[in-house]
């Protein structure tokens, strides 16, 4: 009886021409002859309606006699009532929650899921069909792609397999598609509720492995205006783009470049005084953090996202850098970087906070390269020697042998100032001399019977051997010095020539695999004797021009 009275009253209002002024948004429809306010689709707050004395709330697993809830979508639009709305199609759906199974069916406008559990499948069907057609839908899983279309209550997705849905599509077919629009949105593990998609569009994410945790669907007559937000219903992961710039001593800030291009001037004498880096696009939350060090001040504080590192414009030159990604970005990507050092060239790639450059050699960085790659992917190049640090070693403590009382080596002796080998070589060297063995790849130096130096060396490669014979330190010593050849120009700290100014002993910071053994066979010099820093430093400071040098 109450329904009949309400219907009669509503008919009188319409007949009197008052309905258009009084019936305002959300919207109304006829349910079994009763006018019911459609206010169930509050986007974030529960909305309540009273249907025949019963209270219903959106977002619950089940809503008794829930109606088409377009209130939050239609805004202030006035929806005229007509007898045709009594035969409108109704939408019912359910979702399969991981570790929880199929949920109770809900009617359109309600949330299915929403319990922070991944969805594995969905089922949708229509009731009260007055038009021909159906609802079709499919799901997207990152490891399997799109499923085939299901329809009218069939399951889309795979239940019990542990593979969550990341995106969905819903659409109507047949005459239904001509009369109705279908709108839907999803709640994701990272972004929360996304905006509304409609009529076959994609709702959800791709490439993040963020599961769908809730679904909400609305069926609307095409004459109803949809006012739900539709800007971002689908988010697809994009690869991060890193841009960076360097400040050069004589040129200032350079134009930014994108990874993995070079920034700086590897072919000039200019050095880096400042560095900036930022992410122009990124798929996950996080930052790029970096710092620089100079020989004068050591490490500066960490900075990030386009801020300056170093002291640009002060003449203080960067000699090493460190870089890293932060937050969720660091869980999915690695950052590699390398620096160019004049005299050494491009060092190898450093990674995720490691140091790139040099320390203690007074070398500067002249250029830098960076590259962001997916986590645990192959490095963009060699990674063995990204950083070189000079650690000074004290000269060895002189040891006076008890027996014999004269200097001796593996195949030589010096008695009465005469150097002799087991093979019969004889040179007069006096009481102060330097001996270099090609066979044993070693240098010895004595003053009387006191051994001053005993160290491994690297002599000339087989194609460019170190000359053998009796020589002497001449015509001068030089510190520092630059070795110049046809295809190289190498700075060294100590240069002790013994044959013209072409062959001599010198330090070799580029020899990063050590000295001695058979390294000269494939890392040999152009004929000079590459000597550890501490040994050549002692030789330089101890022996004067004219000191005999034996190479045998």
């Amino acid at each position: 009886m109450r329904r009949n009275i309400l219907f009669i009253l509503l008919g009188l209002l319409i007949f009197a021409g008052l309905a258009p002024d009084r019936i305002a948004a959300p919207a109304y429809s006829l349910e079994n002859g009763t006018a019911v306010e459609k206010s169930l689709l509050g986007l974030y707050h529960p909305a309540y309606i009273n249907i025949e004395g019963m209270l219903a709330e959106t977002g619950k697993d089940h809503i008794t006699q829930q109606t088409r809830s377009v209130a939050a979508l239609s805004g202030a639009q006035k929806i005229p009532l007509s007898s045709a709305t009594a035969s409108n199609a109704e939408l019912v759906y359910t979702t399969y929650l991981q570790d929880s199974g199929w949920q109770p069916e809900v009617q359109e406008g309600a949330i299915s899921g929403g319990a922070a559990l991944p969805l594995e499948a969905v089922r949708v069907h229509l009731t009260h069909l007055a038009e021909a057609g159906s609802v079709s839908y499919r799901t997207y899983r990152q490891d399997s792609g799109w499923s085939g279309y299901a329809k009218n209550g069939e399951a889309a997705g795979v239940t019990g397999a542990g593979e969550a849905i990341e995106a969905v599509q819903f659409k109507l077919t047949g005459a239904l598609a001509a009369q109705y629009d279908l709108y839907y949105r999803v709640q994701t593990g990272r972004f929360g509720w996304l905006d509304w998609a409609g009529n076959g569009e994609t709702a959800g994410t791709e490439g993040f492995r963020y599961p769908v945790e809730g679904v909400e669907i609305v069926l609307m007559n095409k004459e109803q205006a949809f006012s739900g937000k539709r800007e971002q219903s689908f988010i697809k992961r994009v690869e991060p783009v890193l841009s960076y710039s360097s400040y050069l001593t004589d040129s200032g800030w350079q134009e930014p470049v994108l990874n993995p291009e070079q920034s700086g001037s590897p072919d000039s004498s200019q050095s880096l005084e400042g560095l900036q880096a930022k992410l122009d696009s990124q798929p996950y939350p996080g930052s790029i953090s970096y710092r620089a060090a100079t020989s004068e001040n050591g490490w500066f504080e960490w900075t990030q996202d386009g801020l300056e590192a170093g002291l640009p414009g002060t003449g203080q030159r960067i000699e090493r850098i460190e870089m890293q990604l932060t937050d969720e970005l660091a869980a999915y990507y690695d950052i590699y970087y390398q620096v160019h050092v004049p005299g050494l060239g491009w060092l190898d790639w450093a990674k995720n906070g490691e140091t790139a450059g040099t320390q203690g050699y007074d070398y500067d960085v002249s250029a830098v390269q960076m590259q962001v790659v997916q986590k645990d992917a192959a490095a963009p190049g060699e990674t063995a020697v990204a950083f070189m640090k000079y650690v000074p070693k004290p000269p060895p403590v002189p040891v006076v042998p008890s027996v014999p009382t004269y200097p001796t080596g593996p195949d030589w002796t010096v008695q009465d100032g005469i150097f002799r080998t087991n093979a019969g070589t004889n040179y007069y060297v006096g009481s102060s001399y330097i001996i270099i063995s090609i066979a044993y790849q070693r240098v010895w130096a004595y003053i009387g019977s006191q051994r001053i130096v005993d160290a491994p060396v690297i002599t000339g490669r087989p194609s460019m051997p170190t000359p053998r014979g009796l020589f002497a330190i001449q015509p001068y010593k030089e510190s520092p010095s630059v070795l110049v050849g046809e295809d190289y120009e190498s700075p060294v700290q100590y240069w002790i020539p013994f044959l013209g100014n072409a062959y001599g002993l010198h330090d070799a910071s580029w020899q990063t695999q050590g000295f001695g053994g058979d390294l000269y066979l494939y890392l040999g010099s152009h004929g000079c004797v590459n000597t550890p820093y501490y040994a050549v430093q002692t030789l330089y400071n101890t022996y004067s021009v004219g000191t005999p040098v034996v190479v045998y």
Side-chain angles (χ1 to χ4, degrees), residues 177-250:
Q179 182 172 345
Y180 295 99
D181 287 319
L182 199 59
Y183 296 101
Y184 42 92
R185 64 178 186 150
V186 299
Q187 175 184 316
T188 70
R190 175 76 191 188
F191 299 114
W193 284 104
L194 299 179
D195 296 341
W196 294 86
N199 299 330
E201 297 172 349
T202 303
T205 64
E206 180 182 338
F208 293 97
R209 294 189 180 275
Y210 294 158
V212 171
E213 296 176 350
V215 175
E216 189 173 2
I217 312 174
V218 172
L219 182 69
M220 293 183 62
N221 286 313
K222 284 189 177 293
E223 64 266 19
Q224 292 177 313
F226 183 80
S227 61
K229 189 178 180 182
R230 287 172 48 76
E231 294 177 2
Q232 196 173 49
S233 60
F234 174 64
I235 303 175
K236 184 175 181 179
R237 194 187 81 178
V238 295
E239 290 300 311
V241 175
L242 178 65
S243 66
Y244 45 96
S245 177
S246 55
Y247 185 101
L248 290 177
T249 304
D250 299 324

Side-chain angles (χ1 to χ4, degrees), residues 432-464:
S432 178
Y433 48 85
I434 300 171
I435 300 171
I436 300 165
S437 171
I438 294 178
Y440 289 94
Q441 289 291 292
R442 204 156 192 90
V443 60
W444 301 272
Y446 282 80
I447 297 178
S449 60
Q450 183 180 5
R451 185 171 59 195
I452 305 302
V453 169
D454 182 356
V457 297
I458 295 178
T459 61
R461 64 193 68 172
S463 61
M464 303 180 73

Side-chain angles (χ1 to χ4, degrees), residues 65-321:
Q65 298 185 16
Q66 183 185 6
T67 64
R68 181 170 307 115
S69 46
V70 298
L73 306 179
S74 58
Q77 180 191 12
K78 299 178 181 180
I79 307 298
L81 300 180
S82 69
S83 59
T85 59
S87 62
N88 278 354
E90 299 288 347
L91 195 70
V92 179
Y93 49 98
T94 179
T95 54
Y96 186 98
L97 270 62
Q98 204 170 86
D99 302 324
S100 184
W102 287 107
Q103 303 303 292
E105 288 187 336
V106 298
Q107 292 183 337
E108 56 180 289
I111 296 172
S112 183
L117 292 175
L119 269 59
E120 294 185 1
V122 61
R123 293 192 308 219
V124 186
H125 66 92
L126 289 162
T127 62
H128 303 101
L129 291 178
E131 299 86 0
S134 64
V135 58
S136 295
Y137 43 95
R138 62 176 180 169
T139 60
Y140 178 86
R141 296 171 295 160
Q142 180 160 320
D143 294 331
S144 304
W146 285 103
S147 68
Y149 276 102
K151 63 180 180 179
N152 296 336
E154 298 173 347
V158 178
T159 61
E163 191 175 356
I165 293 172
E166 296 184 49
V168 295
Q169 292 177 345
F170 300 94
K171 64 180 181 179
L172 300 172
T173 65
L176 281 171
Q179 182 172 345
Y180 295 99
D181 287 319
L182 199 59
Y183 296 101
Y184 42 92
R185 64 178 186 150
V186 299
Q187 175 184 316
T188 70
R190 175 76 191 188
F191 299 114
W193 284 104
L194 299 179
D195 296 341
W196 294 86
N199 299 330
E201 297 172 349
T202 303
T205 64
E206 180 182 338
F208 293 97
R209 294 189 180 275
Y210 294 158
V212 171
E213 296 176 350
V215 175
E216 189 173 2
I217 312 174
V218 172
L219 182 69
M220 293 183 62
N221 286 313
K222 284 189 177 293
E223 64 266 19
Q224 292 177 313
F226 183 80
S227 61
K229 189 178 180 182
R230 287 172 48 76
E231 294 177 2
Q232 196 173 49
S233 60
F234 174 64
I235 303 175
K236 184 175 181 179
R237 194 187 81 178
V238 295
E239 290 300 311
V241 175
L242 178 65
S243 66
Y244 45 96
S245 177
S246 55
Y247 185 101
L248 290 177
T249 304
D250 299 324
S251 305
W253 284 108
Q254 306 300 291
E255 288 296 322
V257 299
L258 302 179
N259 59 277
E261 297 178 36
Q262 298 178 7
S263 179
S265 183
D267 299 325
S268 75
S269 59
Q270 298 189 69
S271 300
L272 264 65
E273 295 182 10
L275 183 67
Q276 294 175 321
K278 65 178 181 177
L279 290 159
D280 289 340
S281 69
Q282 60 189 89
Y284 299 99
S287 301
I288 177 170
S289 183
Y290 46 95
R291 65 175 181 168
T294 66
S295 59
E296 296 91 339
N297 293 293
W299 288 109
F300 296 102
E301 294 295 325
W302 287 92
T303 188
Q304 64 182 20
D305 296 337
L307 298 177
E308 295 179 1
L311 291 175
T314 65
Q316 295 196 39
R317 303 177 178 187
I318 294 173
E319 68 172 2
R320 58 193 187 275
I321 64 171

